[in-house]
Amino acid sequence: MTDHSTDISPGTQPRIPHGIRWSAATAAFQIEGARDQGGRGRTIWDDFVDTPGAVIDGATADPGPGSYHRFHEDVDLAKRLGLDRYRFGISWARIVPDGSGTVNRQGLDYYSRLVDALIEAGVTPFPTLYHWDLPSPLEAAGGWLNRDTAYRLEEYAAAISGHLGDRVKHWYTINEPAMTALEGYAIGTLAPARQELFGALPAAHHQLLAHGLAMRVLREAGAEQVGLTNNHTLVRPQSDSPEDMMAAGAYNMIHNRVFADPVLTGQYPELAALGLPEMPTQPGDMELISAGPDFYGVNYYNPTTVAAAPEGSPLPFDLVPTPGAETTGFGEMWPIVPEALTAMLTGLRDDYGDALPPIIIAENGASFPEPDRAAKIDDTNRISYLAGHIQAVANAIAAGVNVEEYTVWSLIDNFEWAAGYTQRFGLTHVDYETGERTPKVSFDWLCGVIERSRT
Ligand code: IFM
């Protein structure tokens, strides 16, 4: 087989597929700050951070990196890195402050300026419509458990694409519906902090429906490339005992297949086999959800080892540490296993075959303990994580998987949800007192990788 890759140098340098596009990602709530400015409405994450004890260090995401006022610096970083595209989040509550109804001109103008700056810098804007920050009035009406929320997202998609659609041609609809459904509505570790267990499943369907409705609207506004991005993990049983294997199958269904199958095959997996309730589908829903995305977004961080649930557990599985793996700043449940990414990607290809459109790795990266302020962070651990995972993508491509784009999470350090500022994922260090951005050694390293991949 011809090797279409570049070997940069030994050690931490991956062999890079020629022609792959490079991106880095952020999300609105995690970087913008300015929560009370520009006519922005309130979201479930404002409610979450204002709940005493909900966020580890009591951080409120404001000012955080302060990108609402400093976005030119982020655009400059994206340009210096040599990115083809920048994946950023649009805040629903800046565009439609109450979640429905009146559109906020200041919000439209803010993202318009950001898009213009990116285009001027030669970086393609690739926004995400919904990255977890649901307007609070919609949560008060039932949030993602309420089917109506999907239509409200459609309305918001029409407002923002009507304004940016002349310049923005590439869109993510929804980020990680699994995390919103499972952690937001089932167990409550993320906003809106509900604990519905399997009663949370409608939140999965309504987000997927919102994806389908938004895709239609965005295409009508001239979009050339639209898709969603799912969080995927490679699920492995702790042992080959029938109990562990069954638990792993159940977790694989809940984390991966409930979100991938409907988009790629137009059907949910057999939920009844696990004793789970059916999804609240209505005629036409599955056609909308599976209406041929232009790409399939994959956010990947780690594999998951699963054991049989202990007696009395409300869940049919138990997530356990992966033996023998190094871990990131998040500890033992975030093992570093790059080859699991290759296996996950080839598994998607094997499971979905021709139904799988080109894959975009929409997030991949790691947090490590790093000082709050520093001249230059020498993050060799991050370089090694990224090198291993870029190599894993190259290996999947060599095995015949069509991966078109690789995105690092994240361009800059930012607010890591319930973990506050305790986890830094950035290629760029952010001093949260001054907002100053300082590229880490991994930034310079990735710059070189990108440059060499084009020669
Ligand atoms: O920071 C998050 C991001 O918002 C969604 N995907 C996972 C990242 C790291 O936890």
Side-chain angles (χ1 to χ4, degrees):
M1 181 189 296
T2 320
D3 182 1
H4 296 287
S5 63
T6 307
D7 195 2
I8 295 183
S9 77
T12 52
Q13 301 294 355
R15 293 178 71 81
I16 303 149
H18 284 310
I20 197 162
R21 292 189 301 265
W22 298 94
S23 182
T26 57
F29 192 82
Q30 293 179 273
I31 65 163
E32 286 179 0
R35 294 196 289 141
D36 296 331
Q37 296 172 36
R40 176 184 178 279
R42 198 169 169 84
T43 74
I44 55 174
W45 272 97
D46 298 287
D47 299 334
F48 192 92
V49 299
D50 288 346
T51 305
V55 176
I56 287 184
D57 50 9
T60 63
D62 202 355
S67 293
Y68 185 72
H69 293 293
R70 308 180 74 127
F71 71 86
H72 279 291
E73 295 173 52
D74 301 343
V75 171
D76 187 51
L77 288 166
K79 181 180 177 179
R80 280 166 62 191
L81 200 45
L83 298 182
D84 295 290
R85 296 174 171 190
Y86 174 43
R87 179 181 170 215
F88 60 96
I90 295 179
S91 161
W92 186 342
R94 285 198 191 281
I95 305 302
V96 190
D98 293 329
S100 181
T102 309
V103 172
N104 174 32
R105 185 77 221 178
Q106 294 179 77
L108 295 175
D109 288 348
Y110 167 64
Y111 292 108
S112 201
R113 289 196 300 276
L114 172 56
V115 161
D116 288 346
L118 283 165
I119 292 171
E120 202 185 322
V123 178
T124 301
F126 199 177
T128 308
L129 274 185
Y130 181 70
H131 196 126
W132 299 2
D133 45 356
L134 188 71
S136 299
L138 297 184
E139 178 57 29
W144 286 110
L145 295 176
N146 180 356
R147 182 180 173 92
D148 185 64
T149 299
Y151 298 100
R152 303 289 68 82
L153 185 124
E154 180 186 27
E155 187 186 318
Y156 150 56
I160 187 70
S161 61
H163 197 70
L164 300 182
D166 56 334
R167 287 154 290 157
V168 176
K169 302 293 174 190
H170 312 274
W171 298 84
Y172 291 96
T173 53
I174 305 239
N175 180 72
E176 297 182 354
M179 278 35 259
T180 295
L182 304 180
E183 295 200 43
Y185 285 86
I187 59 171
T189 47
L190 297 176
R194 295 182 60 166
Q195 298 182 328
E196 310 283 339
L197 293 177
F198 290 119
L201 280 174
H205 180 65
H206 297 144
Q207 288 180 87
L208 294 175
L209 176 61
H211 153 73
L213 292 164
M215 196 157 67
R216 193 170 62 185
V217 164
L218 294 169
R219 283 180 171 154
E220 280 164 13
E224 290 163 11
Q225 206 187 25
V226 191
L228 89 176
T229 186
N230 273 328
N231 183 295
H232 274 281
T233 182
L234 184 78
V235 177
R236 295 192 285 208
Q238 187 181 37
S239 77
D240 56 9
S241 75
E243 293 79 11
D244 286 353
M245 305 268 284
M246 204 181 296
Y251 188 70
N252 187 40
M253 189 189 283
I254 294 295
H255 188 121
N256 294 314
R257 293 192 50 210
V258 161
F259 300 90
D261 283 18
V263 173
L264 298 174
T265 72
Q267 285 184 325
Y268 283 105
E270 269 292 309
L271 295 169
L274 291 181
L276 300 178
E278 288 303 319
M279 288 291 189
T281 53
Q282 293 191 11
D285 286 3
M286 301 315 286
E287 287 75 13
L288 272 171
I289 292 172
S290 61
D294 301 301
F295 62 88
Y296 185 66
V298 168
N299 294 3
Y300 174 86
Y301 289 88
N302 48 48
T304 306
T305 305
V306 180
E311 273 297 305
S313 164
L315 300 172
F317 43 72
D318 192 24
L319 309 187
V320 298
T322 296
E326 286 183 30
T327 58
T328 73
F330 260 123
E332 60 184 14
M333 298 313 282
W334 287 62
I336 304 173
V337 190
E339 55 278 16
L341 173 55
T342 311
M344 196 272 293
L345 291 170
T346 53
L348 283 176
R349 190 265 324 270
D350 296 346
D351 290 348
Y352 297 105
D354 291 344
L356 185 67
I359 289 177
I360 289 181
I361 306 292
E363 285 182 25
N364 178 237
S367 63
F368 293 101
E370 287 166 0
D372 286 345
R373 54 199 51 78
K376 184 101 180 163
I377 306 262
D378 187 4
D379 52 345
T380 44
N381 41 16
R382 179 168 295 101
I383 292 175
S384 151
Y385 179 99
L386 294 175
H389 286 79
I390 293 169
Q391 182 64 61
V393 172
N395 294 346
I397 293 173
V401 183
N402 185 4
V403 182
E404 287 189 341
E405 183 166 332
Y406 174 85
T407 308
V408 178
W409 183 272
S410 175
L411 180 64
I412 57 176
D413 286 339
N414 56 58
F415 176 79
E416 179 53 28
W417 309 112
Y421 297 127
T422 62
Q423 301 295 324
R424 290 178 177 267
F425 275 88
L427 295 165
T428 308
H429 179 270
V430 174
D431 181 322
Y432 291 120
E433 265 179 26
T434 63
E436 191 184 350
R437 282 118 164 99
T438 311
K440 301 177 190 176
V441 173
S442 60
F443 183 103
D444 305 336
W445 170 84
L446 188 65
C447 232
V449 169
I450 294 175
E451 206 175 291
R452 302 286 289 269
S453 77
R454 294 184 177 134
T455 54

